[in-house]
Amino acid sequence: MTAAETRPTRPSRQLVGVLALIVLGIAAAVYAWRGQPQLLLGPLPAAPAGEAAPSIEAMVQRLAERMEKNPGDAQGWSMLGRSYVALQRPADAVAAFQKRRALQPQDAQALADLADAMAFAADRNFDGEPTELLKQALKIDPRNVKALELTGTMAFDRGDFKEAVRQWTVALGLMDAQSEEGRNLQAGVAEAQRRGGLAPGAAAPAAAGAGAQVSGRVVLAAALQGRIKPDDTVLIFARLVDGPRMPVAVLKRRAGDLPLDFKLDESTAMSPSLRLSPSTQVVVGARVSRSGQAMPQPGDLQGFSQPVPVGSSGLQIEITDTVK
């Protein structure tokens, strides 16, 4: 083996852009640089006549002073940490994120942000505690985009391109693929596939995850049999236990088909940025609607499961209640 063959490969310029996007959580400072610092720090006083507007550093210092007076504000510490990252002050970022973690030790985003800052302070070295923090973050929330992106970055750095593609593909399923971040991450996936000799799309099944579905049967309670018409709409849906109320997957059927079997999977996803596959637990519901509208209406009939893990089968959803 030649020296050239043993030398670590360097990411292409395209991938450097991807990694830069991944490792810098600059959301707070972006607001300021785009001329909207009030979104970060609240309204700023007008600069006295003849004086310059406050600098980014001054606004971040103002936030730091505010946090000293309000140390229980977890989101404030997060904003401050991201601002320090943007200002290339990794040690201060670590300190801020550690305070966020102390307030919310089981928050996946807090763990991912701290891991990122610690690696930044160690010249982008994720060995040791940053790696453990990311593992913990994904155990708490397999949908955490930053933890997925950083885990993919670590895999890329050690030459495990298949794993990098897997992690980044899952992350892509949780964001708008046409956003700047989505496009950059797609470029990273393509780069990892090229370096690993992987066919495009080869990692998609792994990214979607085995058993990324829930299935079962919907039945109507006997007491409600006379209250439906054959052409009424039956909506069968799944929504995350810890997440927005918007369903991640939905099916539409006819009431005349009840009782009916169902399967919710990636093909029934509601949104590219909110998918069934990475979620851990969902509630499955069924609703009979004469109007066919997605929003519940008084008089609709509905029933729900208990929280169940993705991959569950043989569920029985009984429609028993009336929407008030």
Side-chain angles (χ1 to χ4, degrees):
M1 182 176 293
T2 66
E5 290 172 320
T6 59
R7 196 164 44 238
T9 56
R10 289 184 176 273
S12 68
R13 288 185 180 180
Q14 195 174 40
L15 187 65
V16 168
V18 176
L19 302 186
L21 177 69
I22 290 171
V23 301
L24 295 179
I26 60 173
V30 164
Y31 284 126
W33 279 320
R34 289 182 178 175
Q36 301 180 69
Q38 68 276 10
L39 297 181
L40 171 62
L41 302 176
L44 293 175
E51 293 186 16
S55 66
I56 299 300
E57 290 82 358
M59 288 189 290
V60 173
Q61 179 59 35
R62 176 178 160 187
L63 176 58
E65 292 170 357
R66 180 178 295 180
M67 292 311 304
E68 291 301 322
K69 298 176 182 178
N70 300 279
D73 182 357
Q75 293 304 316
W77 287 119
S78 182
M79 282 288 193
L80 183 60
R82 291 174 185 173
S83 300
Y84 282 142
V85 170
L87 293 177
Q88 305 286 298
R89 293 169 58 178
D92 290 331
V94 169
F97 286 132
Q98 283 175 331
K99 291 181 179 180
R100 161 77 186 276
R101 182 195 183 191
L103 293 169
Q104 297 179 326
Q106 295 301 308
D107 184 273
Q109 188 63 44
L111 298 174
D113 284 339
L114 178 56
D116 190 15
M118 293 180 74
F120 186 21
D123 195 24
R124 303 313 312 160
N125 185 346
F126 283 88
D127 292 345
E129 189 173 359
T131 296
E132 295 306 312
L133 288 169
L134 290 174
K135 288 179 181 178
Q136 186 180 351
L138 288 176
K139 185 176 181 180
I140 293 169
D141 180 10
R143 297 171 54 83
N144 186 272
V145 171
K146 188 170 189 176
L148 289 165
E149 290 176 327
L150 292 174
T151 300
T153 299
M154 291 192 302
F156 186 98
D157 287 346
R158 66 174 181 267
D160 188 349
F161 302 114
K162 185 175 181 179
E163 179 65 9
V165 170
R166 191 181 79 84
Q167 297 288 344
W168 287 345
T169 304
V170 174
L172 270 171
L174 295 166
M175 67 177 69
D176 179 0
Q178 299 307 310
S179 66
E180 182 179 359
E181 182 180 9
R183 291 194 299 270
N184 284 335
L185 199 54
Q186 289 179 70
V189 168
E191 179 79 1
Q193 288 171 335
R194 183 183 70 80
R195 290 182 177 276
L198 304 171
Q213 63 180 35
V214 287
S215 60
R217 190 170 180 82
V218 177
V219 299
L220 182 68
L224 301 179
Q225 292 290 340
R227 295 183 51 187
I228 66 169
K229 296 181 179 179
D231 289 333
D232 288 347
T233 298
V234 180
L235 297 169
I236 307 163
F237 53 90
R239 63 177 181 236
L240 302 177
V241 172
D242 297 314
R245 292 184 61 82
M246 175 183 174
V248 293
V250 65
L251 280 173
K252 184 179 289 189
R253 294 289 186 265
R254 292 177 64 254
D257 297 330
L258 289 169
L260 61 86
D261 295 325
F262 70 89
K263 181 175 74 172
L264 298 168
D265 57 19
E266 290 292 276
S267 68
T268 61
M270 285 284 291
S271 166
S273 61
L274 194 62
R275 305 172 72 88
L276 184 66
S277 58
S279 56
T280 53
Q281 284 198 318
V282 293
V283 170
V284 180
R287 181 163 52 84
V288 178
S289 168
R290 287 188 178 178
S291 68
Q293 295 184 31
M295 294 297 293
Q297 304 294 316
D300 287 354
L301 309 175
Q302 64 184 9
F304 298 92
S305 73
Q306 295 296 315
V308 296
V310 170
S312 296
S313 60
L315 301 178
Q316 177 144 315
I317 313 300
E318 184 176 16
I319 298 174
T320 58
D321 301 324
T322 302
V323 177
K324 302 299 184 181

